[in-house]
mmCIF file of all heavy atoms in Angstrom:
data_model
loop_
_atom_site.group_PDB
_atom_site.id
_atom_site.type_symbol
_atom_site.label_atom_id
_atom_site.label_comp_id
_atom_site.label_asym_id
_atom_site.label_seq_id
_atom_site.Cartn_x
_atom_site.Cartn_y
_atom_site.Cartn_z
ATOM 1 N N GLN B 1493 -96.905 -1.475 75.260
ATOM 2 C CA GLN B 1493 -95.734 -1.634 76.127
ATOM 3 C C GLN B 1493 -95.197 -3.057 76.039
ATOM 4 O O GLN B 1493 -95.937 -3.994 75.717
ATOM 5 C CB GLN B 1493 -96.083 -1.314 77.578
ATOM 6 C CG GLN B 1493 -96.745 0.043 77.779
ATOM 7 C CD GLN B 1493 -95.925 1.206 77.248
ATOM 8 O OE1 GLN B 1493 -94.700 1.117 77.150
ATOM 9 N NE2 GLN B 1493 -96.595 2.281 76.896
ATOM 10 N N GLU B 1494 -93.923 -3.189 76.374
ATOM 11 C CA GLU B 1494 -93.280 -4.497 76.338
ATOM 12 C C GLU B 1494 -92.656 -4.787 77.702
ATOM 13 O O GLU B 1494 -92.618 -3.918 78.564
ATOM 14 C CB GLU B 1494 -92.196 -4.502 75.244
ATOM 15 C CG GLU B 1494 -92.781 -4.269 73.855
ATOM 16 C CD GLU B 1494 -91.699 -3.987 72.810
ATOM 17 O OE1 GLU B 1494 -90.505 -4.017 73.165
ATOM 18 O OE2 GLU B 1494 -92.078 -3.731 71.662
ATOM 19 N N GLY B 1495 -92.151 -5.983 77.886
ATOM 20 C CA GLY B 1495 -91.419 -6.340 79.097
ATOM 21 C C GLY B 1495 -92.270 -6.176 80.346
ATOM 22 O O GLY B 1495 -93.484 -6.402 80.311
ATOM 23 N N PRO B 1496 -91.625 -5.777 81.461
ATOM 24 C CA PRO B 1496 -92.367 -5.642 82.723
ATOM 25 C C PRO B 1496 -93.506 -4.625 82.640
ATOM 26 O O PRO B 1496 -94.560 -4.818 83.245
ATOM 27 C CB PRO B 1496 -91.294 -5.166 83.710
ATOM 28 C CG PRO B 1496 -89.995 -5.543 83.099
ATOM 29 C CD PRO B 1496 -90.186 -5.507 81.619
ATOM 30 N N GLU B 1497 -93.283 -3.556 81.863
ATOM 31 C CA GLU B 1497 -94.344 -2.553 81.726
ATOM 32 C C GLU B 1497 -95.540 -3.164 80.983
ATOM 33 O O GLU B 1497 -96.697 -2.936 81.339
ATOM 34 C CB GLU B 1497 -93.842 -1.315 80.965
ATOM 35 C CG GLU B 1497 -92.917 -0.423 81.769
ATOM 36 C CD GLU B 1497 -91.571 -1.064 82.068
ATOM 37 O OE1 GLU B 1497 -90.832 -1.421 81.129
ATOM 38 O OE2 GLU B 1497 -91.271 -1.244 83.255
ATOM 39 N N GLY B 1498 -95.226 -3.961 79.963
ATOM 40 C CA GLY B 1498 -96.285 -4.645 79.230
ATOM 41 C C GLY B 1498 -97.079 -5.578 80.140
ATOM 42 O O GLY B 1498 -98.308 -5.664 80.054
ATOM 43 N N ALA B 1499 -96.360 -6.252 81.048
ATOM 44 C CA ALA B 1499 -97.028 -7.181 81.965
ATOM 45 C C ALA B 1499 -97.949 -6.436 82.922
ATOM 46 O O ALA B 1499 -99.073 -6.867 83.197
ATOM 47 C CB ALA B 1499 -95.980 -7.981 82.749
ATOM 48 N N LEU B 1500 -97.468 -5.294 83.425
ATOM 49 C CA LEU B 1500 -98.302 -4.522 84.361
ATOM 50 C C LEU B 1500 -99.562 -4.012 83.659
ATOM 51 O O LEU B 1500 -100.672 -4.070 84.204
ATOM 52 C CB LEU B 1500 -97.505 -3.338 84.940
ATOM 53 C CG LEU B 1500 -98.186 -2.640 86.105
ATOM 54 C CD1 LEU B 1500 -97.950 -3.387 87.418
ATOM 55 C CD2 LEU B 1500 -97.731 -1.195 86.257
ATOM 56 N N LEU B 1501 -99.399 -3.520 82.422
ATOM 57 C CA LEU B 1501 -100.564 -2.994 81.712
ATOM 58 C C LEU B 1501 -101.513 -4.105 81.281
ATOM 59 O O LEU B 1501 -102.736 -3.912 81.274
ATOM 60 C CB LEU B 1501 -100.126 -2.116 80.526
ATOM 61 C CG LEU B 1501 -100.015 -0.641 80.949
ATOM 62 C CD1 LEU B 1501 -98.841 -0.396 81.868
ATOM 63 C CD2 LEU B 1501 -99.997 0.285 79.760
ATOM 64 N N ALA B 1502 -100.953 -5.278 80.968
ATOM 65 C CA ALA B 1502 -101.825 -6.417 80.647
ATOM 66 C C ALA B 1502 -102.647 -6.793 81.874
ATOM 67 O O ALA B 1502 -103.823 -7.163 81.769
ATOM 68 C CB ALA B 1502 -100.983 -7.603 80.179
ATOM 69 N N GLU B 1503 -102.018 -6.672 83.045
ATOM 70 C CA GLU B 1503 -102.753 -6.980 84.271
ATOM 71 C C GLU B 1503 -103.864 -5.949 84.511
ATOM 72 O O GLU B 1503 -104.970 -6.308 84.948
ATOM 73 C CB GLU B 1503 -101.795 -7.027 85.462
ATOM 74 C CG GLU B 1503 -102.500 -7.465 86.730
ATOM 75 C CD GLU B 1503 -101.559 -7.713 87.901
ATOM 76 O OE1 GLU B 1503 -100.343 -7.833 87.688
ATOM 77 O OE2 GLU B 1503 -102.073 -7.786 89.035
ATOM 78 N N LEU B 1504 -103.576 -4.693 84.203
ATOM 79 C CA LEU B 1504 -104.619 -3.668 84.322
ATOM 80 C C LEU B 1504 -105.823 -4.025 83.444
ATOM 81 O O LEU B 1504 -106.966 -3.993 83.895
ATOM 82 C CB LEU B 1504 -104.056 -2.296 83.911
ATOM 83 C CG LEU B 1504 -105.081 -1.174 83.762
ATOM 84 C CD1 LEU B 1504 -105.677 -0.797 85.127
ATOM 85 C CD2 LEU B 1504 -104.470 0.060 83.090
ATOM 86 N N VAL B 1505 -105.536 -4.367 82.183
ATOM 87 C CA VAL B 1505 -106.616 -4.710 81.245
ATOM 88 C C VAL B 1505 -107.385 -5.933 81.754
ATOM 89 O O VAL B 1505 -108.623 -5.958 81.744
ATOM 90 C CB VAL B 1505 -106.050 -4.961 79.835
ATOM 91 C CG1 VAL B 1505 -107.132 -5.490 78.896
ATOM 92 C CG2 VAL B 1505 -105.434 -3.681 79.270
ATOM 93 N N ALA B 1506 -106.644 -6.930 82.254
ATOM 94 C CA ALA B 1506 -107.291 -8.149 82.746
ATOM 95 C C ALA B 1506 -108.174 -7.847 83.953
ATOM 96 O O ALA B 1506 -109.288 -8.362 84.071
ATOM 97 C CB ALA B 1506 -106.225 -9.189 83.114
ATOM 98 N N ARG B 1507 -107.686 -7.001 84.850
ATOM 99 C CA ARG B 1507 -108.478 -6.659 86.036
ATOM 100 C C ARG B 1507 -109.726 -5.873 85.648
ATOM 101 O O ARG B 1507 -110.809 -6.087 86.209
ATOM 102 C CB ARG B 1507 -107.622 -5.840 87.023
ATOM 103 C CG ARG B 1507 -106.610 -6.684 87.791
ATOM 104 C CD ARG B 1507 -105.683 -5.795 88.617
ATOM 105 N NE ARG B 1507 -104.718 -6.586 89.386
ATOM 106 C CZ ARG B 1507 -104.850 -6.912 90.670
ATOM 107 N NH1 ARG B 1507 -105.918 -6.515 91.348
ATOM 108 N NH2 ARG B 1507 -103.934 -7.616 91.280
ATOM 109 N N LEU B 1508 -109.584 -4.966 84.695
ATOM 110 C CA LEU B 1508 -110.739 -4.156 84.290
ATOM 111 C C LEU B 1508 -111.793 -5.006 83.580
ATOM 112 O O LEU B 1508 -112.996 -4.854 83.826
ATOM 113 C CB LEU B 1508 -110.293 -3.007 83.366
ATOM 114 C CG LEU B 1508 -109.484 -1.895 84.042
ATOM 115 C CD1 LEU B 1508 -108.882 -0.961 82.999
ATOM 116 C CD2 LEU B 1508 -110.370 -1.099 85.005
ATOM 117 N N THR B 1509 -111.344 -5.911 82.719
ATOM 118 C CA THR B 1509 -112.313 -6.724 81.978
ATOM 119 C C THR B 1509 -112.933 -7.791 82.877
ATOM 120 O O THR B 1509 -114.084 -8.164 82.693
ATOM 121 C CB THR B 1509 -111.659 -7.368 80.737
ATOM 122 O OG1 THR B 1509 -110.453 -8.014 81.127
ATOM 123 C CG2 THR B 1509 -111.316 -6.340 79.696
ATOM 124 N N ALA B 1510 -112.173 -8.256 83.893
ATOM 125 C CA ALA B 1510 -112.747 -9.229 84.828
ATOM 126 C C ALA B 1510 -113.804 -8.569 85.715
ATOM 127 O O ALA B 1510 -114.767 -9.199 86.131
ATOM 128 C CB ALA B 1510 -111.648 -9.842 85.692
ATOM 129 N N ALA B 1511 -113.606 -7.280 86.003
ATOM 130 C CA ALA B 1511 -114.524 -6.581 86.909
ATOM 131 C C ALA B 1511 -115.817 -6.172 86.220
ATOM 132 O O ALA B 1511 -116.823 -5.932 86.879
ATOM 133 C CB ALA B 1511 -113.836 -5.345 87.490
ATOM 134 N N ASP B 1512 -115.771 -6.048 84.896
ATOM 135 C CA ASP B 1512 -116.930 -5.502 84.187
ATOM 136 C C ASP B 1512 -116.978 -6.099 82.782
ATOM 137 O O ASP B 1512 -116.122 -5.794 81.959
ATOM 138 C CB ASP B 1512 -116.793 -3.971 84.113
ATOM 139 C CG ASP B 1512 -118.007 -3.309 83.484
ATOM 140 O OD1 ASP B 1512 -118.919 -4.032 83.004
ATOM 141 O OD2 ASP B 1512 -118.047 -2.065 83.471
ATOM 142 N N PRO B 1513 -117.953 -6.939 82.497
ATOM 143 C CA PRO B 1513 -118.004 -7.567 81.163
ATOM 144 C C PRO B 1513 -118.180 -6.548 80.030
ATOM 145 O O PRO B 1513 -117.909 -6.867 78.872
ATOM 146 C CB PRO B 1513 -119.219 -8.497 81.259
ATOM 147 C CG PRO B 1513 -120.000 -8.039 82.445
ATOM 148 C CD PRO B 1513 -119.041 -7.361 83.371
ATOM 149 N N ARG B 1514 -118.594 -5.320 80.377
ATOM 150 C CA ARG B 1514 -118.754 -4.304 79.324
ATOM 151 C C ARG B 1514 -117.421 -3.666 78.955
ATOM 152 O O ARG B 1514 -117.329 -2.953 77.953
ATOM 153 C CB ARG B 1514 -119.709 -3.197 79.783
ATOM 154 C CG ARG B 1514 -121.103 -3.703 80.160
ATOM 155 C CD ARG B 1514 -121.868 -2.611 80.863
ATOM 156 N NE ARG B 1514 -121.102 -2.103 81.996
ATOM 157 C CZ ARG B 1514 -121.352 -0.953 82.614
ATOM 158 N NH1 ARG B 1514 -122.329 -0.181 82.213
ATOM 159 N NH2 ARG B 1514 -120.611 -0.570 83.632
ATOM 160 N N ALA B 1515 -116.394 -3.872 79.769
ATOM 161 C CA ALA B 1515 -115.084 -3.301 79.452
ATOM 162 C C ALA B 1515 -114.494 -4.100 78.291
ATOM 163 O O ALA B 1515 -114.212 -5.286 78.424
ATOM 164 C CB ALA B 1515 -114.167 -3.368 80.660
ATOM 165 N N ALA B 1516 -114.343 -3.447 77.160
ATOM 166 C CA ALA B 1516 -113.891 -4.168 75.966
ATOM 167 C C ALA B 1516 -113.187 -3.208 75.021
ATOM 168 O O ALA B 1516 -113.486 -2.013 75.007
ATOM 169 C CB ALA B 1516 -115.099 -4.786 75.258
ATOM 170 N N PRO B 1517 -112.237 -3.740 74.244
ATOM 171 C CA PRO B 1517 -111.584 -2.893 73.255
ATOM 172 C C PRO B 1517 -112.586 -2.427 72.197
ATOM 173 O O PRO B 1517 -113.503 -3.165 71.847
ATOM 174 C CB PRO B 1517 -110.525 -3.801 72.630
ATOM 175 C CG PRO B 1517 -110.337 -4.910 73.607
ATOM 176 C CD PRO B 1517 -111.670 -5.087 74.269
ATOM 177 N N ARG B 1518 -112.431 -1.221 71.724
ATOM 178 C CA ARG B 1518 -113.236 -0.725 70.612
ATOM 179 C C ARG B 1518 -112.370 0.179 69.748
ATOM 180 O O ARG B 1518 -111.311 0.636 70.183
ATOM 181 C CB ARG B 1518 -114.486 0.008 71.098
ATOM 182 C CG ARG B 1518 -114.218 1.171 72.033
ATOM 183 C CD ARG B 1518 -115.501 1.886 72.446
ATOM 184 N NE ARG B 1518 -115.862 2.914 71.491
ATOM 185 C CZ ARG B 1518 -116.506 4.046 71.818
ATOM 186 N NH1 ARG B 1518 -116.886 4.268 73.061
ATOM 187 N NH2 ARG B 1518 -116.786 4.941 70.905
ATOM 188 N N ARG B 1519 -112.834 0.410 68.548
ATOM 189 C CA ARG B 1519 -112.083 1.275 67.634
ATOM 190 C C ARG B 1519 -112.663 2.672 67.650
ATOM 191 O O ARG B 1519 -113.872 2.852 67.665
ATOM 192 C CB ARG B 1519 -112.172 0.725 66.214
ATOM 193 C CG ARG B 1519 -111.247 -0.438 65.981
ATOM 194 C CD ARG B 1519 -111.368 -0.938 64.575
ATOM 195 N NE ARG B 1519 -110.928 0.062 63.604
ATOM 196 C CZ ARG B 1519 -110.538 -0.241 62.382
ATOM 197 N NH1 ARG B 1519 -110.528 -1.490 61.977
ATOM 198 N NH2 ARG B 1519 -110.153 0.691 61.552
ATOM 199 N N ILE B 1520 -111.803 3.666 67.665
ATOM 200 C CA ILE B 1520 -112.221 5.039 67.395
ATOM 201 C C ILE B 1520 -111.311 5.511 66.276
ATOM 202 O O ILE B 1520 -110.117 5.719 66.487
ATOM 203 C CB ILE B 1520 -112.071 5.948 68.632
ATOM 204 C CG1 ILE B 1520 -112.962 5.449 69.774
ATOM 205 C CG2 ILE B 1520 -112.423 7.386 68.272
ATOM 206 C CD1 ILE B 1520 -112.913 6.322 71.019
ATOM 207 N N GLY B 1521 -111.869 5.640 65.082
ATOM 208 C CA GLY B 1521 -111.024 5.938 63.928
ATOM 209 C C GLY B 1521 -110.015 4.824 63.764
ATOM 210 O O GLY B 1521 -110.358 3.648 63.787
ATOM 211 N N ARG B 1522 -108.749 5.189 63.649
ATOM 212 C CA ARG B 1522 -107.718 4.165 63.499
ATOM 213 C C ARG B 1522 -107.229 3.655 64.843
ATOM 214 O O ARG B 1522 -106.463 2.695 64.906
ATOM 215 C CB ARG B 1522 -106.535 4.758 62.726
ATOM 216 C CG ARG B 1522 -106.700 4.616 61.213
ATOM 217 C CD ARG B 1522 -105.401 4.992 60.536
ATOM 218 N NE ARG B 1522 -105.471 6.321 59.974
ATOM 219 C CZ ARG B 1522 -104.419 7.005 59.549
ATOM 220 N NH1 ARG B 1522 -103.215 6.492 59.648
ATOM 221 N NH2 ARG B 1522 -104.557 8.195 59.028
ATOM 222 N N THR B 1523 -107.597 4.326 65.929
ATOM 223 C CA THR B 1523 -107.075 3.930 67.229
ATOM 224 C C THR B 1523 -107.924 2.829 67.848
ATOM 225 O O THR B 1523 -109.069 2.612 67.469
ATOM 226 C CB THR B 1523 -107.052 5.125 68.201
ATOM 227 O OG1 THR B 1523 -108.400 5.523 68.482
ATOM 228 C CG2 THR B 1523 -106.301 6.305 67.613
ATOM 229 N N ARG B 1524 -107.315 2.129 68.803
ATOM 230 C CA ARG B 1524 -108.029 1.119 69.588
ATOM 231 C C ARG B 1524 -107.996 1.585 71.036
ATOM 232 O O ARG B 1524 -106.923 1.905 71.552
ATOM 233 C CB ARG B 1524 -107.325 -0.232 69.506
ATOM 234 C CG ARG B 1524 -107.029 -0.676 68.105
ATOM 235 C CD ARG B 1524 -108.092 -1.610 67.602
ATOM 236 N NE ARG B 1524 -107.726 -2.107 66.292
ATOM 237 C CZ ARG B 1524 -108.225 -3.206 65.773
ATOM 238 N NH1 ARG B 1524 -109.099 -3.929 66.446
ATOM 239 N NH2 ARG B 1524 -107.868 -3.589 64.567
ATOM 240 N N VAL B 1525 -109.142 1.596 71.649
ATOM 241 C CA VAL B 1525 -109.223 2.023 73.046
ATOM 242 C C VAL B 1525 -109.908 0.927 73.850
ATOM 243 O O VAL B 1525 -110.528 0.023 73.290
ATOM 244 C CB VAL B 1525 -110.007 3.346 73.186
ATOM 245 C CG1 VAL B 1525 -109.338 4.455 72.399
ATOM 246 C CG2 VAL B 1525 -111.460 3.167 72.744
ATOM 247 N N LEU B 1526 -109.775 1.018 75.170
ATOM 248 C CA LEU B 1526 -110.511 0.106 76.047
ATOM 249 C C LEU B 1526 -111.660 0.901 76.650
ATOM 250 O O LEU B 1526 -111.433 1.893 77.359
ATOM 251 C CB LEU B 1526 -109.595 -0.428 77.155
ATOM 252 C CG LEU B 1526 -110.255 -1.468 78.073
ATOM 253 C CD1 LEU B 1526 -110.480 -2.786 77.332
ATOM 254 C CD2 LEU B 1526 -109.408 -1.714 79.319
ATOM 255 N N GLY B 1527 -112.891 0.483 76.325
ATOM 256 C CA GLY B 1527 -114.061 1.145 76.898
ATOM 257 C C GLY B 1527 -114.215 0.713 78.346
ATOM 258 O O GLY B 1527 -114.163 -0.478 78.655
ATOM 259 N N VAL B 1528 -114.339 1.672 79.252
ATOM 260 C CA VAL B 1528 -114.477 1.351 80.671
ATOM 261 C C VAL B 1528 -115.570 2.216 81.299
ATOM 262 O O VAL B 1528 -115.924 3.270 80.786
ATOM 263 C CB VAL B 1528 -113.161 1.590 81.458
ATOM 264 C CG1 VAL B 1528 -112.057 0.682 80.963
ATOM 265 C CG2 VAL B 1528 -112.735 3.049 81.389
ATOM 266 N N ASP B 1529 -116.070 1.742 82.435
ATOM 267 C CA ASP B 1529 -116.922 2.565 83.282
ATOM 268 C C ASP B 1529 -115.988 3.215 84.309
ATOM 269 O O ASP B 1529 -115.305 2.507 85.052
ATOM 270 C CB ASP B 1529 -117.959 1.672 83.968
ATOM 271 C CG ASP B 1529 -118.912 2.472 84.847
ATOM 272 O OD1 ASP B 1529 -118.451 3.427 85.508
ATOM 273 O OD2 ASP B 1529 -120.107 2.127 84.882
ATOM 274 N N PRO B 1530 -115.937 4.549 84.355
ATOM 275 C CA PRO B 1530 -114.984 5.204 85.265
ATOM 276 C C PRO B 1530 -115.130 4.766 86.720
ATOM 277 O O PRO B 1530 -114.130 4.672 87.448
ATOM 278 C CB PRO B 1530 -115.311 6.689 85.110
ATOM 279 C CG PRO B 1530 -115.930 6.803 83.751
ATOM 280 C CD PRO B 1530 -116.685 5.523 83.530
ATOM 281 N N ALA B 1531 -116.362 4.478 87.162
ATOM 282 C CA ALA B 1531 -116.557 4.063 88.562
ATOM 283 C C ALA B 1531 -115.953 2.679 88.798
ATOM 284 O O ALA B 1531 -115.394 2.404 89.866
ATOM 285 C CB ALA B 1531 -118.041 4.063 88.906
ATOM 286 N N VAL B 1532 -116.056 1.800 87.814
ATOM 287 C CA VAL B 1532 -115.454 0.464 87.941
ATOM 288 C C VAL B 1532 -113.932 0.584 87.954
ATOM 289 O O VAL B 1532 -113.246 -0.080 88.743
ATOM 290 C CB VAL B 1532 -115.923 -0.456 86.792
ATOM 291 C CG1 VAL B 1532 -115.211 -1.795 86.858
ATOM 292 C CG2 VAL B 1532 -117.436 -0.647 86.844
ATOM 293 N N TYR B 1533 -113.403 1.450 87.096
ATOM 294 C CA TYR B 1533 -111.956 1.686 87.058
ATOM 295 C C TYR B 1533 -111.465 2.098 88.445
ATOM 296 O O TYR B 1533 -110.481 1.581 88.953
ATOM 297 C CB TYR B 1533 -111.656 2.766 86.023
ATOM 298 C CG TYR B 1533 -110.224 3.246 85.952
ATOM 299 C CD1 TYR B 1533 -109.316 2.664 85.076
ATOM 300 C CD2 TYR B 1533 -109.784 4.311 86.738
ATOM 301 C CE1 TYR B 1533 -108.003 3.123 84.987
ATOM 302 C CE2 TYR B 1533 -108.482 4.777 86.659
ATOM 303 C CZ TYR B 1533 -107.598 4.183 85.785
ATOM 304 O OH TYR B 1533 -106.305 4.642 85.702
#
Side-chain angles (χ1 to χ4, degrees):
Chain B
Q1493 307 303 334
E1494 298 168 2
E1497 286 68 60
L1500 191 82
L1501 268 70
E1503 185 172 345
L1504 170 68
V1505 173
R1507 285 173 179 262
L1508 290 169
T1509 50
D1512 184 354
R1514 301 168 306 164
R1518 57 178 273 211
R1519 282 180 65 158
I1520 298 182
R1522 272 190 258 167
T1523 66
R1524 309 263 185 159
V1525 300
L1526 184 70
V1528 297
D1529 181 321
V1532 175
Y1533 174 92

